[in-house]
Amino acid sequence: IAMDPIAPCTGGGAGGELTIVGSEDGTATIWRFISSQYLPLRPRQRLGGHQGRKICSVALSGLLNACVSVSERRCCLFNLGSGLMLRSFQPPVKSCEEENGTYTVVRTVFADTPAVALTTQGFIVLVCQTTITTKS
């Protein structure tokens, strides 16, 4: 399980703080905490979109009212309030090149690292891992 530091909750209501936890079953859960005791109040949202692939990194922005979860093949951006997926995208794709009878296969995935950032301007910064294989 990966966990992102607690960020301030935005919007009305009882107050408190939010955190996002990614799991190996391909889901992420947003938890609401009571700020004075740091005890979990209840899971607020359960987020999918990764087709059962392990989530390796998460990020949360109360300012943008958004959160991000990343698996090997997909990055998903969600609305904190409704839990709706705003956008999802895959790593860059370049599958095969042929030169003089030699094939080069390029495979790029999001790296299995907790490093992800959701900036206050709305940029998502991710780490990719590329494998290049040459076959004759």
Side-chain angles (χ1 to χ4, degrees), residues 63-103:
L63 182 67
L64 296 175
N65 199 31
C67 65
V68 174
S69 61
V70 182
S71 62
E72 181 181 74
R73 298 209 179 169
R74 181 172 283 179
C75 176
C76 298
L77 177 67
F78 296 95
N79 179 288
L80 278 178
S82 65
L84 290 175
M85 186 185 306
L86 302 173
R87 178 154 172 86
S88 73
F89 55 91
Q90 298 175 343
V93 177
K94 186 173 186 182
S95 60
C96 183
E97 291 180 5
E98 180 184 358
E99 185 178 310
N100 301 328
T102 302
Y103 293 92

Side-chain angles (χ1 to χ4, degrees), residues 106-127:
V106 179
R107 180 177 181 257
T108 302
V109 295
F110 293 121
D112 188 4
T113 175
V116 63
L118 180 57
T119 69
T120 56
Q121 293 84 14
F123 294 105
I124 302 170
V125 182
L126 300 163
V127 179

